[in-house]
Amino acid sequence: MFTHHSTTKLVFLLVLSTGTSSLAYSAPDSATLDIIDARQKAFTALESQTKAVKKTLDGSDTDWQNLLEASEQLVVNSDALNGAFALGTLEGSKAKESVWSKPDKFNRLMQQMQQGYQQVALGAQNQSIAEVEKGLKAAESTCKSCHRSYRSRW
Ligand code: HEC
């Protein structure tokens, strides 16, 4: 009786674990791919908008209106990354498992990047080159550090 019971249990566990592993390897659905695509686009936009803002900086010849618009886009795109790393959106992306297993540093760097871009926008409003540069530096100091820990190379 006891033997029979544990065999049943074992078979049940085997079925369960096979089921789980096949789930882990199934192709991501289209809603998941949309989330991944949106966050990759946001990062790509941040990269090109950061370059655009840097080009705009030109001492007393700075085009402040242009700089303000570009920096507002930086704020929008960096804020759009909040909640963009929903659970279950690993497969089909370049994110590493550590995004979910070690979120503290990930969240800290994300926040640091967002605050940097907010400072860029404030600097643009105040027409302060120094403040814009400080914000850019803060934001850009997060990219490599986060990629090293949280983005796979392929
Ligand atoms: C908090 C972590 C974090 C920060 C900060 C961060 N990134 Fe990323 N980045 C990632 C992750 C994770 C991915 C992979 C996303 C995916 O494939 O779903 C990524 C992807 C990218 C991509 C590739 C998008 C694609 O289509 O594959 C670019 C470009 C990029 N980041 C640029 C930047 C730049 C520039 C900065 C700094 C200004 C930055 N990132 C800051 C985590 C970060």
Short mmCIF file of all heavy atoms in Angstrom, two decimals, residues 35-48 50-51 74 81 84-85 89-96 99-100 103 105-114 117 136 138-152 154, ligand 1:
data_model
loop_
_atom_site.label_atom_id
_atom_site.label_comp_id
_atom_site.label_asym_id
_atom_site.label_seq_id
_atom_site.Cartn_x
_atom_site.Cartn_y
_atom_site.Cartn_z
N ILE A 35 6.04 43.26 -25.53
CA ILE A 35 6.66 43.91 -24.36
C ILE A 35 8.17 44.04 -24.57
O ILE A 35 8.76 45.10 -24.34
CB ILE A 35 6.36 43.10 -23.07
CG1 ILE A 35 4.88 43.15 -22.75
CG2 ILE A 35 7.21 43.62 -21.90
CD1 ILE A 35 4.46 42.26 -21.59
N ILE A 36 8.77 42.95 -25.05
CA ILE A 36 10.22 42.94 -25.29
C ILE A 36 10.59 43.95 -26.37
O ILE A 36 11.53 44.75 -26.22
CB ILE A 36 10.70 41.52 -25.67
CG1 ILE A 36 10.50 40.58 -24.48
CG2 ILE A 36 12.15 41.53 -26.14
CD1 ILE A 36 10.65 39.10 -24.82
N ASP A 37 9.81 43.96 -27.43
CA ASP A 37 10.07 44.87 -28.55
C ASP A 37 9.97 46.33 -28.07
O ASP A 37 10.81 47.16 -28.42
CB ASP A 37 9.05 44.59 -29.67
CG ASP A 37 9.36 45.39 -30.91
OD1 ASP A 37 10.51 45.30 -31.40
OD2 ASP A 37 8.47 46.11 -31.40
N ALA A 38 8.95 46.61 -27.26
CA ALA A 38 8.75 47.99 -26.78
C ALA A 38 9.93 48.44 -25.92
O ALA A 38 10.41 49.57 -26.05
CB ALA A 38 7.45 48.08 -25.99
N ARG A 39 10.43 47.57 -25.05
CA ARG A 39 11.54 48.02 -24.18
C ARG A 39 12.84 48.13 -24.97
O ARG A 39 13.64 49.03 -24.71
CB ARG A 39 11.67 47.15 -22.94
CG ARG A 39 12.26 45.78 -23.14
CD ARG A 39 12.15 44.95 -21.87
NE ARG A 39 12.70 43.62 -22.06
CZ ARG A 39 12.21 42.52 -21.50
NH1 ARG A 39 11.15 42.58 -20.72
NH2 ARG A 39 12.78 41.35 -21.70
N GLN A 40 13.03 47.25 -25.95
CA GLN A 40 14.25 47.38 -26.78
C GLN A 40 14.21 48.68 -27.58
O GLN A 40 15.22 49.36 -27.72
CB GLN A 40 14.37 46.17 -27.72
CG GLN A 40 14.71 44.88 -26.98
CD GLN A 40 14.84 43.67 -27.88
OE1 GLN A 40 14.37 43.67 -29.02
NE2 GLN A 40 15.45 42.60 -27.38
N LYS A 41 13.02 49.03 -28.06
CA LYS A 41 12.88 50.29 -28.80
C LYS A 41 13.14 51.49 -27.89
O LYS A 41 13.75 52.48 -28.31
CB LYS A 41 11.48 50.40 -29.41
CG LYS A 41 11.29 49.53 -30.64
CD LYS A 41 10.18 50.10 -31.54
CE LYS A 41 10.15 49.38 -32.89
NZ LYS A 41 9.20 48.24 -32.86
N ALA A 42 12.66 51.40 -26.65
CA ALA A 42 12.88 52.51 -25.70
C ALA A 42 14.37 52.70 -25.44
O ALA A 42 14.88 53.82 -25.44
CB ALA A 42 12.13 52.24 -24.40
N PHE A 43 15.10 51.59 -25.26
CA PHE A 43 16.55 51.69 -25.04
C PHE A 43 17.27 52.26 -26.27
O PHE A 43 18.16 53.09 -26.15
CB PHE A 43 17.16 50.32 -24.71
CG PHE A 43 17.02 49.91 -23.26
CD1 PHE A 43 16.33 48.76 -22.91
CD2 PHE A 43 17.61 50.67 -22.25
CE1 PHE A 43 16.22 48.37 -21.57
CE2 PHE A 43 17.50 50.28 -20.92
CZ PHE A 43 16.80 49.13 -20.58
N THR A 44 16.86 51.79 -27.44
CA THR A 44 17.49 52.28 -28.68
C THR A 44 17.24 53.77 -28.85
O THR A 44 18.13 54.53 -29.23
CB THR A 44 16.95 51.49 -29.89
OG1 THR A 44 17.17 50.10 -29.65
CG2 THR A 44 17.65 51.88 -31.18
N ALA A 45 16.01 54.20 -28.52
CA ALA A 45 15.68 55.63 -28.61
C ALA A 45 16.52 56.43 -27.61
O ALA A 45 17.04 57.49 -27.94
CB ALA A 45 14.19 55.84 -28.35
N LEU A 46 16.68 55.90 -26.40
CA LEU A 46 17.50 56.60 -25.39
C LEU A 46 18.91 56.80 -25.90
O LEU A 46 19.50 57.87 -25.72
CB LEU A 46 17.55 55.79 -24.09
CG LEU A 46 16.30 55.81 -23.21
CD1 LEU A 46 16.51 54.91 -22.00
CD2 LEU A 46 15.97 57.23 -22.77
N GLU A 47 19.43 55.77 -26.54
CA GLU A 47 20.81 55.86 -27.04
C GLU A 47 20.94 56.98 -28.08
O GLU A 47 21.83 57.82 -27.99
CB GLU A 47 21.22 54.52 -27.65
CG GLU A 47 22.69 54.43 -27.95
CD GLU A 47 23.11 53.00 -28.30
OE1 GLU A 47 22.49 52.41 -29.22
OE2 GLU A 47 24.02 52.48 -27.66
N SER A 48 20.01 57.03 -29.04
CA SER A 48 20.15 58.04 -30.10
C SER A 48 19.77 59.43 -29.59
O SER A 48 20.37 60.44 -29.98
CB SER A 48 19.36 57.65 -31.35
OG SER A 48 18.02 57.50 -31.03
N THR A 50 20.22 60.52 -26.57
CA THR A 50 21.34 61.00 -25.74
C THR A 50 22.40 61.63 -26.63
O THR A 50 22.92 62.71 -26.32
CB THR A 50 21.94 59.83 -24.93
OG1 THR A 50 20.92 59.29 -24.09
CG2 THR A 50 23.10 60.29 -24.05
N LYS A 51 22.69 60.97 -27.74
CA LYS A 51 23.66 61.54 -28.69
C LYS A 51 23.16 62.87 -29.24
O LYS A 51 23.93 63.83 -29.37
CB LYS A 51 23.88 60.57 -29.86
CG LYS A 51 24.85 59.46 -29.52
CD LYS A 51 25.14 58.59 -30.74
CE LYS A 51 25.79 57.29 -30.33
NZ LYS A 51 25.41 56.16 -31.20
N LEU A 74 13.74 61.97 -23.60
CA LEU A 74 14.56 61.11 -22.75
C LEU A 74 13.81 60.71 -21.48
O LEU A 74 13.87 59.55 -21.06
CB LEU A 74 15.87 61.81 -22.37
CG LEU A 74 16.94 61.92 -23.47
CD1 LEU A 74 18.08 62.83 -23.01
CD2 LEU A 74 17.49 60.54 -23.83
N LEU A 81 10.31 52.55 -19.23
CA LEU A 81 10.93 51.28 -18.86
C LEU A 81 10.44 50.76 -17.50
O LEU A 81 10.70 49.61 -17.15
CB LEU A 81 12.45 51.42 -18.85
CG LEU A 81 13.05 51.51 -20.26
CD1 LEU A 81 14.48 52.02 -20.22
CD2 LEU A 81 12.99 50.15 -20.96
N ALA A 84 8.55 47.49 -17.56
CA ALA A 84 8.76 46.88 -18.88
C ALA A 84 9.43 45.51 -18.77
O ALA A 84 9.50 44.78 -19.74
CB ALA A 84 9.61 47.80 -19.75
N PHE A 85 9.91 45.19 -17.56
CA PHE A 85 10.53 43.88 -17.37
C PHE A 85 9.60 43.00 -16.54
O PHE A 85 9.93 42.55 -15.45
CB PHE A 85 11.91 44.03 -16.71
CG PHE A 85 12.94 44.57 -17.66
CD1 PHE A 85 13.10 45.94 -17.85
CD2 PHE A 85 13.72 43.71 -18.42
CE1 PHE A 85 14.04 46.45 -18.75
CE2 PHE A 85 14.66 44.20 -19.32
CZ PHE A 85 14.82 45.57 -19.48
N THR A 89 9.14 37.51 -19.21
CA THR A 89 9.55 38.12 -20.48
C THR A 89 11.06 37.98 -20.70
O THR A 89 11.71 38.89 -21.21
CB THR A 89 9.15 39.62 -20.55
OG1 THR A 89 9.76 40.33 -19.46
CG2 THR A 89 7.64 39.80 -20.46
N LEU A 90 11.57 36.83 -20.30
CA LEU A 90 13.00 36.54 -20.50
C LEU A 90 13.25 35.93 -21.89
O LEU A 90 14.06 36.44 -22.66
CB LEU A 90 13.48 35.56 -19.42
CG LEU A 90 14.85 34.92 -19.63
CD1 LEU A 90 15.96 35.87 -19.26
CD2 LEU A 90 14.98 33.64 -18.83
N GLU A 91 12.50 34.86 -22.20
CA GLU A 91 12.68 34.16 -23.47
C GLU A 91 12.40 35.08 -24.64
O GLU A 91 11.40 35.79 -24.64
CB GLU A 91 11.73 32.95 -23.56
CG GLU A 91 11.87 31.94 -22.45
CD GLU A 91 13.10 31.04 -22.61
OE1 GLU A 91 13.56 30.87 -23.76
OE2 GLU A 91 13.59 30.53 -21.59
N GLY A 92 13.32 35.08 -25.60
CA GLY A 92 13.12 35.94 -26.76
C GLY A 92 13.70 37.33 -26.58
O GLY A 92 13.55 38.18 -27.44
N SER A 93 14.35 37.56 -25.43
CA SER A 93 14.96 38.87 -25.19
C SER A 93 16.44 38.69 -24.88
O SER A 93 16.94 37.58 -24.80
CB SER A 93 14.28 39.56 -24.01
OG SER A 93 14.85 39.17 -22.78
N LYS A 94 17.12 39.83 -24.71
CA LYS A 94 18.53 39.78 -24.34
C LYS A 94 18.72 39.96 -22.85
O LYS A 94 19.85 40.06 -22.37
CB LYS A 94 19.30 40.87 -25.09
CG LYS A 94 19.38 40.62 -26.58
CD LYS A 94 20.12 41.76 -27.27
CE LYS A 94 19.89 41.71 -28.78
NZ LYS A 94 19.96 43.05 -29.38
N ALA A 95 17.62 40.05 -22.13
CA ALA A 95 17.73 40.20 -20.68
C ALA A 95 18.23 38.89 -20.06
O ALA A 95 17.94 37.80 -20.56
CB ALA A 95 16.38 40.56 -20.09
N LYS A 96 19.00 39.02 -18.98
CA LYS A 96 19.46 37.83 -18.26
C LYS A 96 18.49 37.51 -17.13
O LYS A 96 17.78 38.39 -16.64
CB LYS A 96 20.83 38.10 -17.64
CG LYS A 96 21.99 38.10 -18.60
CD LYS A 96 23.29 38.16 -17.80
CE LYS A 96 24.49 38.45 -18.67
NZ LYS A 96 25.68 38.72 -17.84
N VAL A 99 17.92 39.73 -13.97
CA VAL A 99 16.98 40.86 -13.86
C VAL A 99 15.92 40.53 -12.81
O VAL A 99 15.53 41.38 -12.00
CB VAL A 99 16.29 41.15 -15.22
CG1 VAL A 99 15.14 42.14 -15.06
CG2 VAL A 99 17.30 41.67 -16.24
N TRP A 100 15.47 39.29 -12.80
CA TRP A 100 14.42 38.87 -11.88
C TRP A 100 14.96 38.25 -10.60
O TRP A 100 14.34 38.35 -9.55
CB TRP A 100 13.44 37.92 -12.59
CG TRP A 100 12.75 38.64 -13.71
CD1 TRP A 100 11.63 39.42 -13.61
CD2 TRP A 100 13.17 38.73 -15.09
NE1 TRP A 100 11.33 39.98 -14.84
CE2 TRP A 100 12.24 39.57 -15.76
CE3 TRP A 100 14.23 38.19 -15.82
CZ2 TRP A 100 12.34 39.87 -17.12
CZ3 TRP A 100 14.33 38.49 -17.18
CH2 TRP A 100 13.40 39.32 -17.82
N PRO A 103 17.12 41.67 -8.42
CA PRO A 103 16.55 42.92 -8.93
C PRO A 103 17.07 44.20 -8.26
O PRO A 103 16.88 45.28 -8.81
CB PRO A 103 15.05 42.75 -8.66
CG PRO A 103 14.99 41.82 -7.49
CD PRO A 103 16.17 40.90 -7.60
N LYS A 105 20.07 45.72 -7.62
CA LYS A 105 21.01 46.56 -8.37
C LYS A 105 20.36 47.03 -9.68
O LYS A 105 20.55 48.16 -10.12
CB LYS A 105 22.29 45.76 -8.65
CG LYS A 105 23.37 46.53 -9.36
CD LYS A 105 24.60 45.65 -9.61
CE LYS A 105 25.51 46.24 -10.65
NZ LYS A 105 26.48 45.24 -11.16
N PHE A 106 19.59 46.13 -10.29
CA PHE A 106 18.90 46.47 -11.54
C PHE A 106 17.99 47.69 -11.32
O PHE A 106 18.05 48.67 -12.06
CB PHE A 106 18.08 45.26 -12.02
CG PHE A 106 17.37 45.49 -13.33
CD1 PHE A 106 18.03 45.30 -14.53
CD2 PHE A 106 16.04 45.89 -13.36
CE1 PHE A 106 17.38 45.51 -15.75
CE2 PHE A 106 15.39 46.10 -14.56
CZ PHE A 106 16.06 45.91 -15.76
N ASN A 107 17.19 47.62 -10.27
CA ASN A 107 16.25 48.72 -10.00
C ASN A 107 16.98 50.01 -9.63
O ASN A 107 16.55 51.10 -10.02
CB ASN A 107 15.29 48.32 -8.87
CG ASN A 107 14.34 47.22 -9.30
OD1 ASN A 107 14.04 47.09 -10.48
ND2 ASN A 107 13.88 46.42 -8.36
N ARG A 108 18.08 49.87 -8.90
CA ARG A 108 18.85 51.05 -8.51
C ARG A 108 19.44 51.75 -9.74
O ARG A 108 19.35 52.97 -9.88
CB ARG A 108 19.97 50.64 -7.54
CG ARG A 108 20.83 51.78 -7.05
CD ARG A 108 21.77 51.37 -5.91
NE ARG A 108 22.61 50.22 -6.21
CZ ARG A 108 23.66 50.23 -7.01
NH1 ARG A 108 24.01 51.35 -7.60
NH2 ARG A 108 24.36 49.13 -7.22
N LEU A 109 20.00 50.96 -10.65
CA LEU A 109 20.60 51.55 -11.86
C LEU A 109 19.53 52.17 -12.76
O LEU A 109 19.74 53.21 -13.37
CB LEU A 109 21.41 50.49 -12.62
CG LEU A 109 22.72 50.09 -11.94
CD1 LEU A 109 23.31 48.84 -12.59
CD2 LEU A 109 23.74 51.23 -11.98
N MET A 110 18.38 51.50 -12.82
CA MET A 110 17.28 52.03 -13.63
C MET A 110 16.84 53.39 -13.09
O MET A 110 16.67 54.35 -13.85
CB MET A 110 16.10 51.04 -13.60
CG MET A 110 14.94 51.42 -14.48
SD MET A 110 15.36 51.34 -16.23
CE MET A 110 15.08 49.61 -16.57
N GLN A 111 16.72 53.47 -11.78
CA GLN A 111 16.29 54.71 -11.14
C GLN A 111 17.34 55.82 -11.33
O GLN A 111 17.00 56.97 -11.60
CB GLN A 111 16.08 54.45 -9.65
CG GLN A 111 15.11 55.40 -9.03
CD GLN A 111 14.97 55.15 -7.54
OE1 GLN A 111 15.81 54.50 -6.91
NE2 GLN A 111 13.90 55.65 -6.97
N GLN A 112 18.59 55.41 -11.23
CA GLN A 112 19.69 56.37 -11.41
C GLN A 112 19.68 56.94 -12.83
O GLN A 112 19.88 58.13 -13.04
CB GLN A 112 21.01 55.64 -11.13
CG GLN A 112 22.21 56.54 -10.97
CD GLN A 112 23.46 55.72 -10.67
OE1 GLN A 112 23.42 54.75 -9.91
NE2 GLN A 112 24.57 56.08 -11.30
N MET A 113 19.41 56.06 -13.81
CA MET A 113 19.34 56.53 -15.20
C MET A 113 18.17 57.50 -15.37
O MET A 113 18.31 58.57 -15.97
CB MET A 113 19.19 55.34 -16.15
CG MET A 113 19.05 55.75 -17.61
SD MET A 113 18.90 54.34 -18.72
CE MET A 113 17.21 53.85 -18.44
N GLN A 114 17.02 57.14 -14.82
CA GLN A 114 15.83 58.00 -14.95
C GLN A 114 16.04 59.35 -14.29
O GLN A 114 15.66 60.39 -14.84
CB GLN A 114 14.61 57.28 -14.35
CG GLN A 114 14.18 56.08 -15.18
CD GLN A 114 13.20 55.17 -14.45
OE1 GLN A 114 13.11 55.18 -13.22
NE2 GLN A 114 12.48 54.36 -15.20
N TYR A 117 18.24 61.57 -16.45
CA TYR A 117 17.52 62.20 -17.56
C TYR A 117 16.57 63.30 -17.07
O TYR A 117 16.34 64.29 -17.77
CB TYR A 117 16.78 61.15 -18.39
CG TYR A 117 17.73 60.35 -19.27
CD1 TYR A 117 17.62 58.97 -19.37
CD2 TYR A 117 18.75 60.98 -19.99
CE1 TYR A 117 18.49 58.23 -20.17
CE2 TYR A 117 19.62 60.25 -20.78
CZ TYR A 117 19.48 58.88 -20.88
OH TYR A 117 20.35 58.16 -21.67
N LEU A 136 23.50 64.05 -17.87
CA LEU A 136 23.94 63.10 -18.91
C LEU A 136 24.97 62.13 -18.33
O LEU A 136 24.93 60.92 -18.57
CB LEU A 136 24.57 63.85 -20.09
CG LEU A 136 23.59 64.53 -21.06
CD1 LEU A 136 24.35 65.38 -22.06
CD2 LEU A 136 22.73 63.49 -21.79
N ALA A 138 25.36 61.25 -15.21
CA ALA A 138 24.70 60.32 -14.28
C ALA A 138 23.98 59.21 -15.05
O ALA A 138 24.08 58.03 -14.71
CB ALA A 138 23.73 61.08 -13.38
N ALA A 139 23.27 59.59 -16.10
CA ALA A 139 22.52 58.59 -16.88
C ALA A 139 23.48 57.63 -17.58
O ALA A 139 23.31 56.41 -17.53
CB ALA A 139 21.62 59.28 -17.90
N GLU A 140 24.51 58.19 -18.18
CA GLU A 140 25.42 57.36 -18.97
C GLU A 140 26.32 56.47 -18.12
O GLU A 140 26.89 55.50 -18.63
CB GLU A 140 26.27 58.23 -19.89
CG GLU A 140 25.45 58.79 -21.03
CD GLU A 140 26.32 59.41 -22.11
OE1 GLU A 140 27.00 60.42 -21.82
OE2 GLU A 140 26.33 58.89 -23.24
N SER A 141 26.46 56.80 -16.85
CA SER A 141 27.28 55.96 -16.00
C SER A 141 26.57 54.65 -15.66
O SER A 141 27.16 53.75 -15.06
CB SER A 141 27.66 56.69 -14.71
OG SER A 141 26.52 56.83 -13.89
N THR A 142 25.30 54.53 -16.03
CA THR A 142 24.54 53.33 -15.68
C THR A 142 24.55 52.27 -16.79
O THR A 142 24.37 51.09 -16.52
CB THR A 142 23.07 53.67 -15.38
OG1 THR A 142 22.44 54.16 -16.58
CG2 THR A 142 22.95 54.71 -14.29
N CYS A 143 24.74 52.69 -18.03
CA CYS A 143 24.55 51.78 -19.18
C CYS A 143 25.42 50.52 -19.09
O CYS A 143 24.90 49.41 -19.05
CB CYS A 143 24.85 52.48 -20.52
SG CYS A 143 24.24 54.17 -20.68
N LYS A 144 26.72 50.74 -19.05
CA LYS A 144 27.65 49.59 -19.08
C LYS A 144 27.50 48.71 -17.86
O LYS A 144 27.54 47.49 -17.95
CB LYS A 144 29.09 50.09 -19.17
CG LYS A 144 29.54 50.32 -20.59
CD LYS A 144 31.05 50.52 -20.66
CE LYS A 144 31.44 51.04 -22.03
NZ LYS A 144 32.48 52.09 -21.95
N SER A 145 27.35 49.37 -16.73
CA SER A 145 27.24 48.63 -15.49
C SER A 145 26.02 47.71 -15.51
O SER A 145 26.09 46.54 -15.13
CB SER A 145 27.15 49.63 -14.34
OG SER A 145 26.82 48.99 -13.16
N CYS A 146 24.91 48.23 -16.00
CA CYS A 146 23.70 47.40 -16.04
C CYS A 146 23.84 46.31 -17.11
O CYS A 146 23.46 45.17 -16.88
CB CYS A 146 22.46 48.24 -16.29
SG CYS A 146 20.94 47.33 -15.92
N HIS A 147 24.37 46.65 -18.26
CA HIS A 147 24.51 45.64 -19.32
C HIS A 147 25.42 44.50 -18.90
O HIS A 147 25.16 43.34 -19.21
CB HIS A 147 25.04 46.29 -20.60
CG HIS A 147 24.04 47.25 -21.20
ND1 HIS A 147 24.38 48.20 -22.14
CD2 HIS A 147 22.71 47.39 -20.99
CE1 HIS A 147 23.29 48.89 -22.48
NE2 HIS A 147 22.28 48.43 -21.79
N ARG A 148 26.49 44.84 -18.17
CA ARG A 148 27.42 43.80 -17.74
C ARG A 148 26.72 42.76 -16.89
O ARG A 148 26.95 41.57 -17.03
CB ARG A 148 28.57 44.43 -16.95
CG ARG A 148 29.93 43.86 -17.30
CD ARG A 148 31.04 44.48 -16.47
NE ARG A 148 31.28 45.88 -16.78
CZ ARG A 148 31.24 46.88 -15.90
NH1 ARG A 148 30.96 46.65 -14.63
NH2 ARG A 148 31.48 48.12 -16.27
N SER A 149 25.83 43.21 -16.02
CA SER A 149 25.17 42.26 -15.12
C SER A 149 23.86 41.71 -15.65
O SER A 149 23.46 40.61 -15.28
CB SER A 149 24.85 42.94 -13.78
OG SER A 149 26.00 43.48 -13.20
N TYR A 150 23.19 42.47 -16.52
CA TYR A 150 21.80 42.12 -16.83
C TYR A 150 21.45 41.92 -18.30
O TYR A 150 20.33 41.59 -18.62
CB TYR A 150 20.87 43.18 -16.23
CG TYR A 150 20.95 43.25 -14.72
CD1 TYR A 150 21.64 44.27 -14.08
CD2 TYR A 150 20.35 42.26 -13.94
CE1 TYR A 150 21.72 44.33 -12.69
CE2 TYR A 150 20.41 42.31 -12.56
CZ TYR A 150 21.10 43.34 -11.94
OH TYR A 150 21.18 43.39 -10.57
N ARG A 151 22.39 42.16 -19.19
CA ARG A 151 22.08 41.96 -20.61
C ARG A 151 23.04 40.93 -21.18
O ARG A 151 24.24 41.04 -21.00
CB ARG A 151 22.21 43.28 -21.39
CG ARG A 151 21.78 43.14 -22.86
CD ARG A 151 21.84 44.44 -23.60
NE ARG A 151 23.21 44.86 -23.87
CZ ARG A 151 23.54 45.83 -24.74
NH1 ARG A 151 22.60 46.48 -25.40
NH2 ARG A 151 24.80 46.16 -24.92
N SER A 152 22.53 39.95 -21.90
CA SER A 152 23.39 38.95 -22.50
C SER A 152 23.98 39.52 -23.78
O SER A 152 23.43 40.45 -24.37
CB SER A 152 22.62 37.67 -22.80
OG SER A 152 21.78 37.86 -23.89
N TRP A 154 24.43 38.05 -26.64
CA TRP A 154 23.88 37.58 -27.91
C TRP A 154 22.37 37.66 -27.89
O TRP A 154 21.75 37.60 -26.88
CB TRP A 154 24.28 36.12 -28.22
CG TRP A 154 25.34 35.61 -27.32
CD1 TRP A 154 25.18 34.86 -26.18
CD2 TRP A 154 26.77 35.81 -27.47
NE1 TRP A 154 26.39 34.60 -25.63
CE2 TRP A 154 27.38 35.16 -26.39
CE3 TRP A 154 27.57 36.48 -28.40
CZ2 TRP A 154 28.77 35.14 -26.21
CZ3 TRP A 154 28.93 36.47 -28.22
CH2 TRP A 154 29.52 35.81 -27.14
C1 HEC B 1 18.79 48.93 -15.38
C2 HEC B 1 19.51 48.27 -16.42
C3 HEC B 1 19.86 48.98 -17.69
C4 HEC B 1 20.29 50.28 -17.84
C5 HEC B 1 20.51 51.33 -16.77
C6 HEC B 1 20.53 50.46 -19.24
N1 HEC B 1 20.24 49.32 -19.93
FE1 HEC B 1 20.31 49.10 -21.93
N2 HEC B 1 19.50 47.24 -21.75
C7 HEC B 1 19.26 46.58 -20.57
C8 HEC B 1 18.72 45.27 -20.84
C9 HEC B 1 18.34 44.22 -19.79
C10 HEC B 1 18.62 45.16 -22.23
C11 HEC B 1 18.06 43.97 -23.03
C12 HEC B 1 16.56 44.20 -23.19
C13 HEC B 1 15.86 43.08 -23.92
O1 HEC B 1 16.45 42.47 -24.84
O2 HEC B 1 14.69 42.84 -23.60
C14 HEC B 1 19.13 46.42 -22.77
C15 HEC B 1 19.20 46.71 -24.12
C16 HEC B 1 19.75 47.86 -24.65
C17 HEC B 1 19.87 48.13 -26.06
C18 HEC B 1 19.55 47.15 -27.18
C19 HEC B 1 18.13 47.20 -27.65
C20 HEC B 1 17.91 46.07 -28.65
O3 HEC B 1 17.20 46.30 -29.64
O4 HEC B 1 18.40 44.96 -28.44
C21 HEC B 1 20.43 49.37 -26.19
C22 HEC B 1 20.77 50.10 -27.47
C23 HEC B 1 20.65 49.88 -24.85
N3 HEC B 1 20.21 48.93 -23.94
C24 HEC B 1 21.20 51.11 -24.58
C25 HEC B 1 21.34 51.61 -23.30
C26 HEC B 1 21.91 52.91 -22.99
C27 HEC B 1 22.47 53.88 -24.02
C28 HEC B 1 21.87 53.04 -21.64
C29 HEC B 1 22.33 54.18 -20.79
C30 HEC B 1 21.99 55.52 -21.14
C31 HEC B 1 21.24 51.84 -21.10
N4 HEC B 1 20.97 51.00 -22.13
C32 HEC B 1 21.00 51.65 -19.77
C33 HEC B 1 19.47 47.09 -19.31
C34 HEC B 1 19.84 48.39 -19.02
#
